[in-house]
Coordinates of all heavy atoms in Angstrom, one line a residue:
A1 N 171.1 107.4 79.4 CA 171.0 108.9 79.2 C 169.7 109.4 79.9 O 169.7 110.4 80.6 CB 171.1 109.3 77.8
V2 N 168.6 108.7 79.6 CA 167.4 109.1 80.2 C 167.4 109.0 81.8 O 167.0 109.9 82.5 CB 166.2 108.3 79.6 CG1 164.9 108.5 80.4 CG2 166.0 108.6 78.2
G3 N 168.0 107.9 82.2 CA 168.2 107.8 83.7 C 169.0 108.9 84.3 O 168.7 109.4 85.4
M4 N 170.1 109.2 83.6 CA 170.9 110.3 84.1 C 170.2 111.6 84.1 O 170.3 112.5 85.0 CB 172.2 110.5 83.3 CG 173.2 109.3 83.4 SD 173.8 109.1 85.1 CE 174.9 110.4 85.2
F5 N 169.4 111.9 83.1 CA 168.6 113.1 83.0 C 167.5 113.1 84.1 O 167.3 114.2 84.7 CB 167.9 113.2 81.6 CG 167.1 114.4 81.5 CD1 167.7 115.7 81.3 CD2 165.7 114.4 81.5 CE1 166.9 116.8 81.2 CE2 164.9 115.5 81.4 CZ 165.5 116.7 81.2
V6 N 166.9 112.0 84.4 CA 165.9 112.0 85.5 C 166.6 112.2 86.8 O 166.1 113.0 87.6 CB 165.2 110.6 85.4 CG1 164.3 110.4 86.7 CG2 164.3 110.5 84.2
A7 N 167.7 111.6 87.0 CA 168.4 111.8 88.3 C 168.9 113.3 88.4 O 169.0 113.8 89.5 CB 169.6 110.8 88.4
W8 N 169.2 113.9 87.3 CA 169.7 115.3 87.3 C 168.6 116.3 87.7 O 168.9 117.4 88.2 CB 170.2 115.6 85.9 CG 170.8 117.0 85.8 CD1 171.8 117.5 86.4 CD2 170.3 118.0 84.9 NE1 172.0 118.8 86.0 CE2 171.1 119.1 85.0 CE3 169.2 118.0 84.0 CZ2 170.9 120.3 84.3 CZ3 169.0 119.2 83.3 CH2 169.9 120.3 83.4
Q9 N 167.3 115.8 87.6 CA 166.2 116.7 88.0 C 166.1 117.1 89.4 O 165.5 118.1 89.8 CB 164.9 116.1 87.5 CG 164.8 115.9 86.0 CD 164.9 117.2 85.2 OE1 164.3 118.2 85.6 NE2 165.7 117.2 84.2
G10 N 166.8 116.4 90.3 CA 166.8 116.7 91.7 C 166.8 115.5 92.5 O 166.7 114.3 92.1
S11 N 167.1 115.7 93.8 CA 167.2 114.5 94.7 C 166.0 113.7 94.9 O 166.0 112.6 95.3 CB 167.7 115.0 96.1 OG 166.8 115.9 96.7
K12 N 164.8 114.3 94.6 CA 163.6 113.7 94.7 C 163.5 112.5 93.6 O 162.8 111.5 93.9 CB 162.4 114.7 94.5 CG 161.1 114.1 94.6 CD 160.0 115.2 94.4 CE 158.6 114.7 94.4 NZ 157.7 115.8 94.1
Y13 N 164.2 112.7 92.5 CA 164.1 111.7 91.4 C 165.4 110.9 91.2 O 165.5 110.2 90.3 CB 163.8 112.5 90.1 CG 162.5 113.3 90.1 CD1 162.6 114.6 90.2 CD2 161.3 112.6 90.1 CE1 161.4 115.4 90.2 CE2 160.1 113.4 90.1 CZ 160.2 114.7 90.2 OH 159.1 115.5 90.2
A14 N 166.3 111.0 92.2 CA 167.6 110.4 92.0 C 167.4 108.8 92.0 O 168.1 108.1 91.3 CB 168.5 110.8 93.2
G15 N 166.5 108.3 92.9 CA 166.3 106.9 92.9 C 165.7 106.4 91.6 O 166.2 105.3 91.2
R16 N 164.8 107.1 91.1 CA 164.2 106.7 89.8 C 165.2 106.7 88.7 O 165.3 105.8 87.8 CB 163.0 107.6 89.4 CG 161.9 107.4 90.3 CD 160.7 108.3 89.9 NE 159.6 108.2 90.9 CZ 158.8 109.2 91.0 NH1 158.8 110.3 90.3 NH2 157.8 109.1 91.9
G17 N 166.1 107.7 88.6 CA 167.1 107.8 87.6 C 168.1 106.7 87.7 O 168.5 106.1 86.7
A18 N 168.6 106.4 89.0 CA 169.5 105.4 89.2 C 168.9 104.0 88.8 O 169.6 103.1 88.3 CB 170.0 105.4 90.6
G19 N 167.6 103.9 89.1 CA 166.9 102.6 88.7 C 166.9 102.4 87.2 O 167.1 101.3 86.7
L20 N 166.7 103.5 86.5 CA 166.7 103.5 85.0 C 168.1 103.1 84.5 O 168.2 102.3 83.5 CB 166.2 104.8 84.4 CG 164.7 105.0 84.3 CD1 164.4 106.4 83.9 CD2 164.2 104.0 83.3
V21 N 169.1 103.7 85.1 CA 170.5 103.4 84.7 C 170.8 101.9 84.9 O 171.4 101.2 84.1 CB 171.5 104.3 85.4 CG1 172.9 103.9 85.1 CG2 171.3 105.8 84.9
G22 N 170.5 101.4 86.1 CA 170.7 100.0 86.5 C 170.0 99.1 85.6 O 170.5 98.1 85.1
A23 N 168.7 99.4 85.3 CA 167.9 98.6 84.4 C 168.5 98.6 83.0 O 168.5 97.5 82.3 CB 166.5 99.0 84.4
S24 N 169.0 99.7 82.5 CA 169.6 99.8 81.2 C 170.8 98.9 81.1 O 171.1 98.2 80.1 CB 169.9 101.2 80.9 OG 168.8 102.0 80.8
L25 N 171.7 98.9 82.2 CA 172.9 98.1 82.2 C 172.5 96.6 82.2 O 173.2 95.8 81.6 CB 173.8 98.5 83.3 CG 174.4 99.9 83.2 CD1 175.2 100.2 84.5 CD2 175.4 99.9 82.0

């Protein structure tokens, strides 16, 4: 959820959000 929220903040943070989702999985 945190990764999705970070990625939702904009394309500038999409990589960080996807990284959080991948690390969570």
Side-chain angles (χ1 to χ4, degrees):
V2 168
M4 293 296 289
F5 180 74
V6 169
W8 181 63
Q9 296 300 315
S11 61
K12 182 178 176 182
Y13 302 106
R16 291 181 187 156
L20 278 171
V21 171
S24 296
L25 291 173

